[in-house]
Amino acid sequence: APCPVRCFMLYEQITLTLLAVRGVGPKSVAGFWERKELPESAMELHALISEGAIERLKAHPSLDEIEENWNHSISTLDQCEKEFITVFGRTNPIPPRLAAIPNPPLLLFAVGESQLLIDRSIAVIGTREPTPFGVKAARRMARVLSENHWVVTSGLAEGCDTEGHLG
């Protein structure tokens, strides 16, 4: 079969598509990757899910839902490319130190010089609803860390994680 336009990021596209399905989490997607064949279309992915490729899935998504998620994943990856956002996953492996942790992320999106992820890095994390003091503290902490040659990383969750990037 001819390679789809996004062949080089097919793993990442499928991962994004699956994670958008209700009831599918990282463990289910990791189990899915034990398969040897990759679906090259939303229809093929839907067929695999219907055949039980995702263990313990209570409700199977409709073909329309899979197609919507599939198209959204293509848009997301296209936008990453346009905005110079590095996507780590299976095609472009996650940095070694992060890959070595228990339950590493399936995907990692990085803005900036992604080579820095191999260097000293630290995450500024906290509540999603920080107080004004928490906002100030997260920003100051990140600023001081970066001034001392630490790379500030996070999952970009709302709240303290985001404030750490603004510091």
Side-chain angles (χ1 to χ4, degrees):
C3 188
V5 175
R6 289 219 137 277
C7 184
F8 70 98
M9 293 292 281
L10 188 58
Y11 281 102
E12 289 73 10
Q13 180 181 338
I14 293 168
T15 298
L16 286 171
T17 300
L18 290 173
L19 288 173
V21 173
R22 192 167 142 135
V24 175
K27 286 183 183 178
S28 297
V29 175
F32 181 82
W33 290 128
E34 293 173 11
R35 304 184 58 78
K36 299 216 182 323
E37 63 199 57
L38 288 180
E40 293 185 6
S41 69
M43 188 176 290
E44 287 180 24
L45 180 58
H46 181 261
L48 288 171
I49 292 169
S50 297
E51 294 166 7
I54 303 288
E55 293 181 16
R56 299 179 300 278
L57 186 60
K58 292 179 182 161
H60 293 282
S62 67
L63 177 57
D64 286 344
E65 180 183 355
I66 293 297
E67 286 177 340
E68 183 179 330
N69 294 348
W70 184 269
N71 291 331
H72 188 264
S73 71
I74 291 171
S75 297
T76 299
L77 293 170
D78 285 344
Q79 193 65 32
C80 288
E81 188 174 355
K82 287 177 189 165
E83 295 185 24
F84 303 102
I85 297 171
T86 304
V87 180
F88 293 95
R90 290 175 76 100
T91 305
N92 183 17
I94 287 177
R97 285 187 17 218
L98 186 56
I101 67 170
N103 303 313
L106 298 173
L107 297 174
L108 177 69
F109 298 84
V111 176
E113 181 54 55
S114 58
Q115 189 63 27
L116 292 174
L117 294 172
I118 296 171
D119 296 336
R120 293 181 352 162
S121 62
I122 191 165
V124 175
I125 60 171
T127 180
R128 291 180 188 258
E129 297 176 8
T131 63
F133 175 78
V135 168
K136 187 175 178 180
R139 287 186 182 193
R140 183 166 176 359
M141 185 181 309
R143 186 175 53 252
V144 169
L145 288 165
S146 64
E147 288 169 354
N148 286 283
H149 309 288
W150 283 87
V151 176
V152 178
T153 62
S154 86
L156 285 179
E158 290 182 17
C160 288
D161 293 41
T162 299
E163 298 303 326
H165 285 290
L166 297 174

